[in-house]
Amino acid sequence: MKKDINKKKDQRLDSIIQLVAGVFIIIFLNIIGTYVFTRLDLTSEKRYTLSPSTRQLLRETDDIFYFKVYLEGEFPSGFKKLGQSTRELLDEFRAYSDNIQYEFINPSASNDAKTRKDISDRLIEQGLTPVDVAIRTKEGQRQQSIFPGAIVTYKGRSVPLSLLANQLGAAPDAIINNSVQSLEYNLANAIRRLSVTMKPKIAFTQGHGELSKLETADIASALSDYYTVEYVDLKGQINAFTERVEVESGKFNIVNKYKTIIIAGPDSTFNEKDKFIIDQFVMKGGKVLWLIDPVFATMDSLQKSNRTVGITRDINLNDQLFKYGVRLNSNLLMDLAALPIPMVTGYMGNQPQFDFFPWPFFPVLTSTSNHPVVKNINAIRTEFISSIDTVGDASIRKTILLNTTKYTRIAPTPVIITLSILGRNPDSRDYNDPPQPVAVLLEGKFSSVYNNRIPKELSEAPEIGFTPQSPENKMIVISDGDIIRNQIQFSAGNYTPLPLGYDRHTRQTFGNKELILNAVNYLSDDTGLLDIRSREIKLRALDVTKARENLLTWQLVNILLPVILIILFGIIQFALRKRRYSK
């Protein structure tokens, strides 16, 4: 009897010791946790692991970033996945920064129609775009406008954030998948846009018939979120892009004033002095986005006549671009994947009737590259685009960013452009040329086109600071100036720019703005956030057809299996306890 009492006391003491030890271990782990932070991500694609640039950005936040996410309510399953993924990612953000706060809002929660309309109008004014979806109810289906986006606020400023990566021609599942892949980039980019204080400078060149300020107004406005945007007329000014910086008493260095310059659709000849200024900007580490039309062709001529001619446009840049690694070809590319344009097909009374026909001279480009500049962006709208060949120094890395489809036709100049082809069904046998590159990224150490071409007194002049070779550098060449041109609307006696990429005839929005923003960000060394775009996150969607065929089976498995497992666990636990205490 005494032996049993002692045994019980020993068991009680062991239990107390285990309890105290457990409490101390928990306290100890919590103390360590306040100094050491780590998270385990067991997913194959590391979907819950933030990139180093995002973590650094979050650690540097100095005030509250408040996300109002409008993905609350009864939505189709795809939008529910997007909303859940957004919530999970914001929770990840909060793990690295206490300054991240959010709330999910249902803009259609009110029963009052006027209140819902007022909320909808306010969100549209703030920059969010509604999407019409079909919602299933007990009574049937109804149409509802939802706002797959957020408003991000920081220190009294706010920016709209679209969470839906809407791509023309993509399946709904692919759109949701791409949207989830882009979430980290979009959320981190919103924080970055609001937190930037000192903006680097970029410039649009002027003086050679480049696109006007009105024609580049929308992209200039978008770029101003990241950079100080200026327009610079070269006029042979040797210091157009550079400035003298004193490094020692009486000694100066010539450095660039701008991170990147954009040469957008010039139509007149560059003299050698202006070319030299651009060349030395590159040699000193400056980046260039070239948007050059090697062929002159315009739709304005077709408004007066049924046909026009595309002719070579030589603006004296061929030798410079060849030296850097590309050749712009004197041709026009026709593609069966093309933008529809309106054509008069008849009259009803005095009113013309229009139908839309694909215009092969306006190829629509869909990116197939995994490069972050073009990955997951919407289709690109072009006008009278030409092909590009990569040439020259093998040490220059050349990456094709965009190309036409396999249904391409190369039309060498001079080329007859006539509207009469619109009414015909195109023969695919006439469009059998391989895909043609139209946008190329060049990276490496560029050699000056003026090496051994200028007098010694110029190459050694300190005020010029001639540089024969660049440091590691990069540039992007696109063979279409219209890619960056926004359409213009005339209303109430005023000309107003439309959003870049928006086509007023089809009322579709293409990915031109995102392309230019990504290109300038990449060239300006803002690659940290762009690298996030390269991530692949797979949504493992159910096979809906198979799920419906085996609906009862899966319902029974989901309902009965957990119950059976719990009962089995209880029986085994009871048997073990009985066996233990019976001894």
Side-chain angles (χ1 to χ4, degrees):
M1 183 70 178
K2 188 175 180 180
K3 187 177 180 181
D4 290 340
I5 293 172
N6 290 334
K7 186 177 180 181
K8 288 182 179 179
K9 286 183 178 179
D10 291 340
Q11 288 178 346
R12 187 178 302 167
L13 182 61
D14 288 342
S15 298
I16 294 172
I17 292 172
Q18 290 177 6
L19 176 63
V20 172
V23 170
F24 273 106
I25 289 172
I26 292 172
I27 294 173
F28 180 69
L29 291 176
N30 275 275
I31 292 172
I32 293 177
T34 60
Y35 296 97
V36 179
F37 173 75
T38 186
R39 297 169 74 84
L40 294 178
D41 185 354
L42 302 180
T43 59
S44 60
E45 65 269 27
K46 300 299 179 185
R47 72 167 61 193
Y48 301 112
T49 301
L50 300 181
S51 69
S53 59
T54 301
R55 295 199 296 268
Q56 181 64 26
L57 182 69
L58 292 169
R59 292 189 185 105
E60 292 174 354
T61 56
D62 61 350
D63 206 340
I64 299 297
F65 287 85
Y66 198 84
F67 290 78
K68 289 184 178 180
V69 185
Y70 295 91
L71 276 173
E72 187 74 25
E74 290 299 321
F75 299 143
S77 59
F79 287 98
K80 287 183 178 179
K81 289 178 183 177
L82 180 59
Q84 183 60 32
S85 298
T86 303
R87 189 186 299 273
E88 290 171 353
L89 190 56
L90 286 171
D91 285 337
E92 283 295 302
F93 278 25
R94 294 178 67 178
Y96 289 91
S97 173
D98 294 332
N99 289 320
I100 303 300
Q101 297 183 11
Y102 69 85
E103 66 171 320
F104 276 69
I105 299 170
N106 182 359
S108 303
S110 175
N111 294 323
D112 181 50
K114 185 179 183 305
T115 302
R116 292 198 302 270
K117 185 179 183 306
D118 290 342
I119 294 173
S120 176
D121 291 343
R122 187 169 66 252
L123 292 178
I124 292 172
E125 288 176 3
Q126 290 179 292
L128 294 184
T129 303
V131 175
D132 291 329
V133 296
I135 306 294
R136 290 185 178 180
T137 63
K138 294 179 180 179
E139 294 77 18
Q141 281 193 349
R142 62 180 175 84
Q143 289 294 118
Q144 179 179 323
S145 291
I146 67 173
F147 290 85
I151 300 295
V152 190
T153 305
Y154 169 75
K155 291 184 177 179
R157 295 185 295 128
S158 62
V159 294
L161 171 61
S162 176
L163 301 174
L164 186 66
N166 193 11
Q167 291 181 290
L168 295 174
D173 287 345
I175 290 174
I176 295 298
N177 190 30
N178 290 337
S179 301
V180 173
Q181 286 185 17
S182 303
L183 271 179
E184 184 183 343
Y185 171 80
N186 288 331
L187 296 176
N189 193 37
I191 294 174
R192 178 181 174 277
R193 286 171 59 189
L194 286 169
S195 58
V196 168
T197 53
M198 295 293 294
K199 296 181 181 179
K201 295 169 69 175
I202 65 171
F204 285 83
T205 64
Q206 297 284 275
H208 305 88
E210 290 94 338
L211 298 178
S212 68
K213 291 183 180 181
L214 185 60
E215 291 172 312
T216 56
D218 187 65
I219 189 61
S221 175
L223 287 167
S224 66
D225 288 334
Y226 310 92
Y227 310 100
T228 298
V229 181
E230 297 181 2
Y231 288 80
V232 177
D233 195 334
L234 286 180
K235 294 180 181 177
Q237 302 176 76
I238 199 69
N239 62 345
F241 302 135
T242 58
E243 59 187 353
R244 297 177 70 196
V245 176
E246 186 173 0
V247 289
E248 293 180 17
S249 180
K251 293 185 178 181
F252 294 85
N253 276 351
I254 307 297
V255 299
N256 289 331
K257 292 188 287 188
Y258 301 99
K259 277 265 191 177
T260 301
I261 62 171
I262 302 171
I263 303 176
D267 64 10
S268 58
T269 303
F270 283 73
N271 60 42
E272 292 301 320
K273 191 170 184 180
D274 288 346
K275 289 170 60 179
F276 178 80
I277 294 169
I278 296 171
D279 176 82
Q280 287 303 291
F281 174 77
V282 173
M283 295 308 112
K284 291 177 173 60
K287 317 301 191 296
V288 185
L289 175 57
W290 305 83
L291 301 119
I292 310 295
D293 288 297
V295 174
F296 173 74
T298 175
M299 291 297 290
D300 293 339
S301 302
L302 292 174
Q303 293 179 357
K304 303 173 183 177
S305 172
N306 195 40
R307 57 190 290 164
T308 187
V309 179
I311 58 175
T312 300
R313 171 189 278 160
D314 184 5
I315 56 175
N316 195 30
L317 289 176
N318 292 338
D319 60 335
Q320 190 164 3
L321 292 173
F322 192 95
K323 184 71 173 179
Y324 297 154
V326 295
R327 177 177 57 228
L328 300 183
N329 297 313
S330 295
N331 59 37
L332 288 180
L333 300 179
M334 305 171 66
D335 199 318
L336 292 184
L339 180 73
I341 64 171
M343 181 179 179
V344 177
T345 55
Y347 288 86
M348 183 174 291
N350 294 325
Q351 297 298 319
Q353 301 299 302
F354 293 93
D355 281 327
F356 284 86
F357 298 93
W359 180 229
F361 288 102
F362 285 5
V364 173
L365 310 176
T366 302
S367 168
T368 57
S369 170
N370 284 326
H371 195 279
V373 170
V374 292
K375 185 175 181 179
N376 291 341
I377 66 173
N378 210 344
I380 307 298
R381 178 187 184 279
T382 70
E383 296 183 12
F384 298 118
I385 197 165
S386 305
S387 65
I388 300 177
D389 290 335
T390 56
V391 294
D393 191 349
S395 67
I396 301 297
R397 302 182 300 279
K398 306 168 180 79
T399 304
I400 306 301
L401 298 178
L402 291 170
N403 49 253
T404 55
T405 72
K406 61 182 180 179
Y407 300 107
T408 296
R409 179 178 177 182
I410 302 174
T413 56
V415 54
I416 302 297
I417 303 168
T418 174
L419 291 174
S420 61
I421 64 174
L422 286 177
R424 309 172 191 165
N425 288 324
D427 189 341
S428 60
R429 290 175 297 180
D430 295 332
Y431 294 80
N432 56 6
D433 288 312
Q436 298 296 305
V438 296
V440 179
L441 167 67
L442 305 173
E443 297 176 289
K445 295 181 178 180
F446 300 100
S447 295
S448 172
V449 71
Y450 291 96
N451 272 350
N452 305 316
R453 285 181 54 184
I454 61 173
K456 190 174 181 181
E457 58 269 21
L458 285 179
S459 64
E460 295 181 356
E463 65 273 15
I464 293 177
F466 178 76
T467 306
Q469 188 180 51
S470 77
E472 188 68 24
N473 205 352
K474 49 197 171 185
M475 62 178 68
I476 293 176
V477 183
I478 302 176
S479 56
D480 181 22
D482 293 307
I483 274 185
I484 199 173
R485 180 173 64 86
N486 55 249
Q487 294 182 344
I488 299 169
Q489 179 176 279
F490 182 75
S491 177
N494 294 314
Y495 290 96
T496 56
L498 295 174
L500 176 60
Y502 177 77
D503 181 69
R504 60 187 169 193
H505 297 304
T506 61
R507 297 183 179 180
Q508 291 180 319
T509 300
F510 294 84
N512 297 47
K513 182 187 292 188
E514 192 174 3
L515 169 68
I516 301 300
L517 286 174
N518 287 350
V520 176
N521 285 344
Y522 186 82
L523 292 177
S524 301
D525 297 320
D526 297 333
T527 56
L529 290 178
L530 276 179
D531 287 342
I532 304 170
R533 296 180 61 89
S534 302
R535 298 182 63 190
E536 296 258 1
I537 297 177
K538 298 177 181 179
L539 293 182
R540 289 148 176 97
L542 290 175
D543 186 329
V544 178
T545 303
K546 192 173 182 180
R548 285 175 180 169
E549 290 174 354
N550 302 283
L551 180 62
L552 181 60
T553 301
W554 289 113
Q555 285 177 335
L556 291 175
V557 167
N558 280 282
I559 294 172
L560 295 180
L561 185 60
V563 176
I564 293 172
L565 289 175
I566 291 172
I567 293 172
L568 286 175
F569 177 78
I571 292 172
I572 294 171
Q573 187 76 358
F574 176 77
L576 291 174
R577 287 173 63 87
K578 184 177 180 181
R579 181 179 176 184
R580 177 183 175 185
Y581 288 106
S582 65
K583 293 181 179 180

